Amino acid sequence: MASARASAAGAIAVAAVAVFSCYVLFSNGSKLSWRRRMSRASRKGEKKGLIAAVGNTPLIRINSLSDATGCEILGKAEFLNPGGSVKDRVAVKIIEEALDAGALVPGGVVTEGSAGSTAISLATVAPSFGCKCHVVIPDDAAIEKSEILEALGATVERVRPVSITHRDHYVNIARRRASEANILATNGYRQCNGHTKEAGEFPAVSMADCKGGFFADQFENLANFRAHYEGTGPEIWEQIGGNLHGFIAAAGTGGTVAGISRFLKEKDPRIKCFLIDPPGSGLYNKVKRGVMYTKEEAEGRRLKNPFDTITEGIGINRLTMNFMMAELDGAFRGTDKEAVEMSRYLLKNDGLFVGSSSAMNCVGAMRLARALGPGHIIVTILCDSGIRHLSKFHNSQYLSDHGLTPSATGLEFLDSQ
């Protein structure tokens, strides 16, 4: 009798678990489409090798800024990822999801149009998945980024900067290169775009044993957003113990600020999430006023090349799929001068050697700290180090030529804002 009751109880327990499991699966499946299930690679178990070292970066107190504001200003040290930047997370997620979906196979080539960091991350992690990497990069990006890419074994095309609407914008070229690789995988050298091709006519893809291409599309691929919604955001929340008042970062593709802000807002809607925007970018206006341009700019007074800025990898004049996922309370503007001065201030006072986007994020952290007042905890992202910015952002002659020679002795460069 006791055995029968035990069996009945066990059956009830199993049934309850089954019902709950169905509820969980149904609930997850009914949420927004971007809440894609974990990739097959992630479900298989713990990651190994190089990709296992991506993420779980420390959250460090920026002492000088914290002491100056009476807030706790913390930086997520993403420059400690294997590839040296926050984009390692995105590269891993994009490749994992592409492999999972069958859009990329081992031996295939990942193509991307990038000003540097995403390209370096893709070139770093692609071999761990058995893939190759081809990058199209604007020729005004710091030359050391191209040199790093070539040293990592990637194929590199440097092209002149043009509007995203131009067919030869570096992103559009990268998209074409992936298509060319797929044609090679299917037809060999025989035919492309309706006419015969010979070996050597596809400079972007490897002629030997080509197994197709995949365009990473970091600006529109929501794997970018998911890398931070599923990874960086939860890490910050755990490291901070759920005690957070503000988060701020700049945006290029928008994946970082979107993924982190949305995750944090879901955890605690009271957390203030802000954007810091560099010169020439339209995102500040979009967040503050709901439009990408001011009235004057909309009337045709906008510069043809608004990206006259020393910062790299941040700022944009269009809305990406990734940025549209952001949950933001407001935005601040930053200047090139402030970014340069901030980088030197952090090096002198904290020993932090940061790149242009990290410096701009710290300018933003100061803006947010002053807006919230003393006693608050604020997190920003230290995207990469200064080692990739030696020819421009950390080059004295270049700064002098552009009227950006640092001269501040403290934080007075922020006082005018």
Side-chain angles (χ1 to χ4, degrees):
M1 188 73 174
S3 175
R5 281 197 297 267
S7 298
I12 292 170
V14 170
V17 169
V19 170
F20 178 73
S21 298
C22 290
Y23 166 76
V24 170
L25 288 172
F26 175 79
S27 297
N28 287 342
S30 64
K31 290 180 180 178
L32 295 175
S33 61
W34 54 264
R35 294 183 188 274
R36 182 185 291 183
R37 305 246 177 91
M38 295 291 284
S39 68
R40 186 179 298 118
S42 298
R43 292 198 301 269
K44 284 182 178 178
E46 187 177 352
K47 296 175 181 177
K48 297 179 180 179
L50 177 76
I51 59 174
V54 175
N56 293 307
T57 53
L59 194 61
I60 61 175
R61 184 180 191 267
I62 305 178
N63 291 331
S64 65
L65 305 186
S66 298
D67 295 344
T69 59
C71 290
E72 288 294 293
I73 296 181
L74 309 173
K76 188 80 163 127
E78 292 297 295
F79 57 83
L80 295 178
N81 278 307
S85 85
V86 67
K87 295 297 186 178
D88 283 13
R89 298 175 183 269
V90 178
V92 169
K93 190 66 171 173
I94 285 175
I95 294 176
E96 281 183 343
E97 290 193 3
L99 290 169
D100 188 30
L104 175 68
V105 299
V109 57
V110 181
T111 74
E112 183 57 294
S114 169
S117 290
T118 301
I120 291 171
S121 292
L122 285 168
T124 299
V125 305
S128 295
F129 294 97
C131 298
K132 305 165 188 175
C133 185
H134 172 76
V135 178
V136 186
I137 188 170
D139 62 14
D140 61 347
I143 188 63
E144 56 268 31
K145 292 184 179 181
S146 291
E147 293 170 345
I148 292 170
L149 284 165
E150 290 171 348
L152 289 170
T155 300
V156 181
E157 281 187 83
R158 289 177 67 90
V159 300
R160 67 185 181 88
V162 293
S163 167
I164 186 64
T165 60
H166 195 289
R167 71 180 305 273
D168 288 332
H169 185 274
Y170 61 94
V171 171
N172 298 329
I173 293 175
R175 183 182 288 107
R176 289 204 302 275
R177 296 303 183 236
S179 297
E180 290 168 359
N182 285 325
I183 292 170
L184 279 176
T186 303
N187 302 321
Y189 307 141
R190 290 173 296 170
Q191 197 170 46
C192 177
N193 295 329
H195 64 279
T196 301
K197 287 284 186 180
E198 301 296 334
E201 289 190 48
F202 293 111
V205 295
S206 171
M207 293 299 123
D209 194 26
C210 179
K211 295 185 178 179
F214 174 76
F215 175 48
D217 198 12
Q218 61 167 325
F219 286 88
E220 307 301 334
N221 188 339
L222 288 180
N224 184 344
F225 161 82
R226 286 188 286 271
H228 300 291
Y229 179 83
E230 297 174 6
T232 324
E235 285 176 27
I236 291 172
W237 183 254
E238 182 178 353
Q239 289 170 320
I240 209 74
N243 184 21
L244 180 64
H245 303 108
F247 167 74
I248 189 164
T253 65
T256 303
V257 73
I260 296 174
S261 66
R262 184 172 284 267
F263 178 85
L264 293 177
K265 283 287 192 180
E266 288 179 3
K267 285 296 185 180
D268 185 351
R270 297 171 298 176
I271 297 173
K272 301 299 182 184
C273 294
F274 273 68
L275 171 80
I276 179 72
D277 212 26
S281 176
L283 296 179
Y284 170 87
N285 286 326
K286 181 62 179 177
V287 174
K288 294 285 285 186
R289 303 185 179 97
V291 294
M292 289 295 285
Y293 311 115
T294 64
K295 179 180 178 181
E296 291 76 16
E297 291 167 337
E299 290 173 350
R301 299 175 196 170
R302 192 170 185 82
L303 296 176
K304 287 185 178 180
N305 181 18
F307 290 98
D308 188 14
T309 175
I310 195 172
T311 60
E312 293 186 7
I314 55 175
I316 193 170
N317 274 324
R318 60 186 174 90
L319 287 180
T320 67
M321 291 293 291
N322 283 288
F323 185 79
M324 286 191 285
M325 301 300 295
E327 292 282 346
L328 298 173
D329 295 287
F332 300 107
R333 274 186 169 138
T335 68
D336 283 350
K337 182 68 171 177
E338 288 174 316
V340 170
E341 293 282 11
M342 178 61 77
S343 70
R344 274 52 175 186
Y345 182 86
L346 293 174
L347 181 59
K348 178 181 178 181
N349 293 279
D350 299 273
L352 288 170
F353 182 48
V354 299
S356 58
S357 55
S358 299
M360 188 64 80
N361 282 348
C362 289
V363 170
M366 287 294 292
R367 294 265 204 284
L368 186 54
R370 290 178 174 181
L372 296 180
H376 293 89
I377 301 173
I378 296 166
V379 168
T380 193
I381 305 296
L382 302 179
C383 314
D384 66 358
S385 77
I387 201 69
R388 297 177 182 174
H389 301 263
L390 299 180
S391 64
K392 294 175 66 176
F393 191 69
H394 286 287
N395 182 289
S396 298
Q397 186 59 55
Y398 183 91
L399 295 178
S400 177
D401 292 344
H402 290 78
L404 295 171
T405 299
S407 59
T409 58
L411 291 168
E412 67 271 15
F413 58 90
L414 296 169
D415 291 343
S416 61
Q417 299 294 322

